[in-house]
Amino acid sequence: MSEHLIEYVARDRTGITAVVTTTSVIDVDTVIKHIHAGHAGYYVAADSWKRTPVRSLSFLGGAYLFANWDGSKRNMLHDLAFRAPTRSIETKPVARRPRFSRVLDAILGRRRSHRR
């Protein structure tokens, strides 16, 4: 049986969709099939000295991958999710006329050209 180190996981709003190993990217359904059939084993290296096996757990709607290296009941495999880089966007405040002035213009039916 071959063993694969999982470095990252890809996920969306439904959960983990793929795993990134040292050699390839594999969809989660294939990983679950490999684990159930005993063809391959998957593990994560939480620390340089500790290997944690990845298990496939079944529930009513199907199966999911689970790994836990700190003894809690939380699925820590989600901690390996790739975080997309983010950037901030500068927003400029919009210059608005006072509300009273807009209401008065609407009542009197006046249209003003914007002065800048």
Side-chain angles (χ1 to χ4, degrees), residues 49-103:
W49 54 272
K50 188 176 184 182
R51 288 172 46 135
T52 304
V54 175
R55 298 177 294 164
S56 172
L57 301 179
S58 298
F59 64 100
L60 295 175
Y64 65 97
L65 297 177
F66 182 85
N68 182 287
W69 52 82
D70 72 350
S72 67
K73 294 186 180 196
R74 191 170 76 82
N75 187 357
M76 300 184 84
L77 199 56
H78 292 281
D79 293 347
L80 298 178
F82 177 74
R83 302 208 190 313
T86 59
R87 64 184 177 114
S88 60
I89 299 173
E90 181 182 346
T91 58
K92 296 181 181 178
V94 177
R96 298 186 72 180
R97 295 186 350 223
R99 179 178 245 167
F100 178 73
S101 176
R102 290 188 314 228
V103 171

Side-chain angles (χ1 to χ4, degrees), residues 3-4 7 10 14-15 17 20 37-38 41 43 57 61 67 69 73 76 79 84-85 90 94 97 99 104 106 115-116:
E3 291 201 347
H4 304 280
E7 295 180 327
T14 62
T17 57
V20 179
Y43 68 95
L57 301 179
W69 52 82
K73 294 186 180 196
M76 300 184 84
D79 293 347
E90 181 182 346
V94 177
R97 295 186 350 223
R99 179 178 245 167
L104 189 59
R115 297 181 205 148
R116 293 190 185 218

Side-chain angles (χ1 to χ4, degrees), residues 3-8 20-23 41-45:
E3 291 201 347
H4 304 280
L5 170 65
I6 296 176
E7 295 180 327
Y8 295 102
V20 179
T21 66
T22 54
T23 57
Y42 294 85
Y43 68 95
V44 293

